[in-house]
Amino acid sequence: LEEDSIDRFRSEFLELHPYDQANIFLNLLKETRLQIYTYLSPDEMAEIIEHFELEDVSEIITEMNPRFAAQIFDELSTDDAVDIMNILERNQIASYLTLMNREEAKEIKNLLHYEERTAGSIMTTEYVVVNQNMTIRQAMLHLRDEAPDAETIYYVFVIDDDKRLVGVISLRDLIISEEDWVVSDVMSERVVYASAGDDQESIAKLMRDYDFLALPVVDFKKHLLGIITVDDILDVMDEEASDDYSKLAAVTDMDRNDLSAIDAAKKRLPWLIILLFLGMITATLIGQFEETIAEVALLAVFIPLIAGMAGNTGTQALAVTVRGIATGDVMSEGAMKRLMRETLTGLITGVICGVTIILIVIAWQGIDQLFLGVVVGVSIMASLIVATIAGSFLPLLMHKLNIDPAVASGPFITTINDIISVIIYFGLATTFMEYLT
Amino acid sequence: LEEDSIDRFRSEFLELHPYDQANIFLNLLKETRLQIYTYLSPDEMAEIIEHFELEDVSEIITEMNPRFAAQIFDELSTDDAVDIMNILERNQIASYLTLMNREEAKEIKNLLHYEERTAGSIMTTEYVVVNQNMTIRQAMLHLRDEAPDAETIYYVFVIDDDKRLVGVISLRDLIISEEDWVVSDVMSERVVYASAGDDQESIAKLMRDYDFLALPVVDFKKHLLGIITVDDILDVMDEEASDDYSKLAAVTDMDRNDLSAIDAAKKRLPWLIILLFLGMITATLIGQFEETIAEVALLAVFIPLIAGMAGNTGTQALAVTVRGIATGDVMSEGAMKRLMRETLTGLITGVICGVTIILIVIAWQGIDQLFLGVVVGVSIMASLIVATIAGSFLPLLMHKLNIDPAVASGPFITTINDIISVIIYFGLATTFMEYLT
């Protein structure tokens, strides 16, 4: 990148899609990047930044001249600007806001108040709005004026004289309407909207079910606050899926690819330590049965099998229920009916696995270990039933108590089921000791 | 719903959003539904059907008059029609295709050839295409004609005289261009496209990264075959997330909410039976150490803890890697570097957990059980290291071999790690037996 090739660099680089520009950009040396900042205008740089991962942006923004950064914030769509601001330090935010265009800064300040993961935090304020009394011609002219700044022009929102949302009209309908018709005659009055406090996951579900490209967000008086566009929803869906997945595997914040082993260990260790202590509960319990084990050492052989099967079944039931809560299926069915069905499922799987293991033990140890086989088989059966019920009941309970059910991650359910299954197994074995020796 | 209220029903029902109509519809009795089919036109019914879950559609379609159903297929967008056809019986498909409009039937037949989960299977053929030599005015007129049938009009694809894709122009750009400009001057020539055989997951990633509302699909000569719209991508993302999640929990096809316990058991039992046999491997291995256990029964106490910790760590590493493959992070980093880092992560977590457990054992059993503590601690350390490597190496290996890495589900990794950790534990214990007794 020599000084005299600025023009060539600009013409070649700017022809690329901003996502590709962003990828190239991240692979450059810091010095080269600093040089490029002087070649690009704030709005060109803003387009590139919109395609960065959030974690990379903070580094990029911080290394820039603050005035240049503030100009970029002016150019970014408000929702992206807010996302970036949210990961910066408090004093950084303040300094950028003071350097920014006053109008833009005010809008961003308003948006910064919304809690993370709510409709308010992902909405943008750059939408096109028309009055219901305009003609189609006026609306189209207004649209053309607003188009360069708007996040989407494919939906135009319609307000009445009190600025309340009364309808929506798609660009498709605008185009096929006659120019002298009035907006209120063409618009759809049944407009679906969200409140600023709504959870982003429910917004994603709404947009997916209704096939919306944009959804208006209103306050309690139905004044339009912003819109949520489908490209943001793609990110939300990715985030939420990643989130549920992480929790099932007990890793914190999996989204960010770890750069060092220490980072990775930091995310996994807290869970592992908790699970270690939970595991000690199981160990202590088995410790109570030390004498039983000393007498029939063969009993110990089946501990991991029984605990493992209970853990696996519990995880299955947990995953089905957490997913059912996420898709809303659970709500439409009723918790009681679901629990009944899960209990029956546990019974079916329990009986089949229990009988299978009895046959395996007999095949392995001979018919004289029939009693051991029965103890193992009955333990597996009982454990599977209890584990299935626990796996489906706990998330439902947490959901009712307004705790995110995905927190009851796989390993936790597994440990609870370990404990239950060990008690059942050694309880049975100790009771029928005389037949086992 | 009396005979004379048809008009009132129509006016009230049709004012609702099709998604709401679909929900109402599904809760009706079969007789009422059969009656409604006579009130609604095929295209009104088609709009409702587009918002059904696929599983419900087959029932609905089958209960209709076949001629009415065929008319609905004519009205549906081709991608939705193909999705529905794909879950019907072969002879049903044939009979609907013969009853359909010949043109539509031919397009659907073509699309039915694409494999599931490829770009071809989710694309639609209802798009707007213009020649590069048209003026903006001609293009807009053409767009207005095509608008009622097109799946999206927000992107118009541009072809040359050989019908090859040469560009794309957004409706936004069309609207702000002068009417007498030529399309080829306004269009963007750097159009991103997919091949019909591309995997739907990679398409979803592409559309999310580039923020596209629609993506063209071409054949090897760059002839336009269809487009994929963002609303279909929302469904794809949901499906893929659900899929990865199911596999981590070892449940087949979790998406469909189970209607009976037998259905639920059918999806879980195959996995449970496999895991039962895998668990028997662990049991057989421990069986080899029966004498060791008989001598020091206390050893058995820590089996679930060690196996459980190895399983949890393995699941964490697995989940991070599977997710990394899904987001493409793994590719950009290189497998070797990733493995090195995971090994180091395993070492860090292993040492910390190992030391913790030694302290716990001493606190619990007294200082004279120091050797037991060390055996347990070292086993946990070694297991954690091996489990972390296995959890991250196996998915990478499977990915290289073109097997879906998510198949290496949580429980499988857990069982493999159970086996490894038990060998380490009892191997150590047997070697240092003299110090333990």
Side-chain angles (χ1 to χ4, degrees), chain A residues 116-402:
Chain A
E116 258 192 279
R117 308 203 159 205
T118 60
S121 73
I122 53 171
M123 73 187 181
T124 178
T125 52
E126 279 119 354
Y127 49 84
V128 185
V129 63
V130 295
N131 188 290
Q132 59 176 346
N133 301 320
M134 282 185 181
T135 62
I136 298 296
R137 190 198 326 267
Q138 288 173 314
M140 280 298 280
L141 280 175
H142 181 67
L143 185 66
R144 276 183 72 153
D145 287 346
E146 299 279 318
D149 282 330
E151 178 104 356
T152 180
I153 57 162
Y154 303 133
Y155 287 96
V156 175
F157 298 94
V158 186
I159 52 172
D160 62 13
D161 295 331
D162 294 334
K163 304 206 166 188
R164 276 183 318 215
L165 179 69
V166 290
V168 62
I169 180 165
S170 70
L171 183 51
R172 182 191 288 242
D173 289 334
L174 276 178
I175 286 180
I176 58 176
S177 300
E178 297 297 329
E179 292 211 320
D180 51 354
W181 290 354
V182 176
V183 165
S184 60
D185 294 334
V186 182
M187 72 183 188
S188 159
E189 285 170 42
R190 292 195 173 254
V191 46
V192 178
Y193 52 86
S195 297
D198 286 354
D199 181 62
Q200 65 176 12
E201 197 169 4
S202 65
I203 305 279
K205 188 171 149 36
L206 199 68
M207 292 186 71
R208 189 183 74 102
D209 286 343
Y210 285 89
D211 285 345
F212 289 141
L213 295 179
L215 184 78
V217 181
V218 298
D219 67 11
F220 67 103
K221 277 182 174 162
K222 245 186 129 177
H223 292 141
L224 197 54
L225 296 174
I227 63 165
I228 296 169
T229 50
V230 72
D231 55 307
D232 298 318
I233 290 304
L234 291 178
D235 296 335
V236 166
M237 285 184 68
D238 220 42
E239 191 181 323
E240 295 284 343
S242 213
D243 219 51
D244 286 354
Y245 194 76
S246 321
K247 280 172 190 154
L248 190 61
V251 192
T252 312
D253 181 23
M254 195 148 60
D255 244 358
R256 178 95 183 98
N257 199 28
D258 303 306
L259 294 176
S260 79
I262 295 181
D263 284 348
K266 266 190 203 156
K267 287 182 196 167
R268 303 183 200 174
L269 262 176
W271 295 93
L272 288 177
I273 298 285
I274 295 172
L275 294 168
L276 190 69
F277 279 94
L278 288 176
M280 278 309 297
I281 300 177
T282 321
T284 316
L285 274 170
I286 302 181
Q288 305 300 310
F289 299 100
E290 204 181 321
E291 278 173 43
T292 312
I293 297 171
E295 250 178 282
V296 190
L298 202 54
L299 279 175
V301 166
F302 296 98
I303 299 177
L305 179 70
I306 294 172
M309 288 301 285
N312 293 331
T313 325
T315 307
Q316 287 181 331
L318 169 85
V320 171
T321 309
V322 167
R323 194 72 205 163
I325 292 173
T327 59
D329 284 340
V330 169
M331 299 306 102
S332 60
E333 187 184 20
M336 218 36 226
K337 201 175 150 210
R338 193 172 184 95
L339 267 186
M340 290 293 293
R341 201 188 51 234
E342 284 292 327
T343 309
L344 196 56
T345 308
L347 194 69
I348 298 172
T349 51
V351 167
I352 294 179
C353 290
V355 170
T356 311
I357 198 71
I358 293 178
L359 298 177
I360 294 178
V361 171
I362 292 174
W364 183 35
Q365 297 282 334
I367 189 73
D368 47 317
Q369 289 290 1
L370 173 66
F371 263 101
L372 177 70
V374 172
V375 167
V376 175
V378 172
S379 300
I380 285 207
M381 195 188 78
S383 305
L384 256 58
I385 297 172
V386 176
T388 308
I389 297 173
S392 48
F393 178 71
L394 283 181
L396 282 179
L397 182 73
M398 294 174 86
H399 184 67
K400 289 257 185 255
L401 299 176
N402 264 325

Side-chain angles (χ1 to χ4, degrees), chain A residues 20 147 172 190 210 250 316, chain B residues 15 20 147 172 210 250 268 316:
Chain A
D20 300 318
R172 182 191 288 242
R190 292 195 173 254
Y210 285 89
Q316 287 181 331
Chain B
E15 236 183 273
D20 300 319
R172 182 192 291 239
Y210 286 89
R268 301 184 202 175
Q316 287 181 331

Side-chain angles (χ1 to χ4, degrees), chain B residues 70 73-74 78 82 85 93-94 96-112:
Chain B
F73 276 116
D74 282 339
T78 44
V82 167
M85 290 274 185
I93 301 177
Y96 290 133
L97 283 176
T98 45
L99 286 170
M100 281 177 67
N101 174 315
R102 192 168 304 175
E103 195 73 14
E104 289 283 335
K106 202 179 130 200
E107 277 185 19
I108 288 179
K109 258 186 232 161
N110 284 336
L111 288 177
L112 281 171

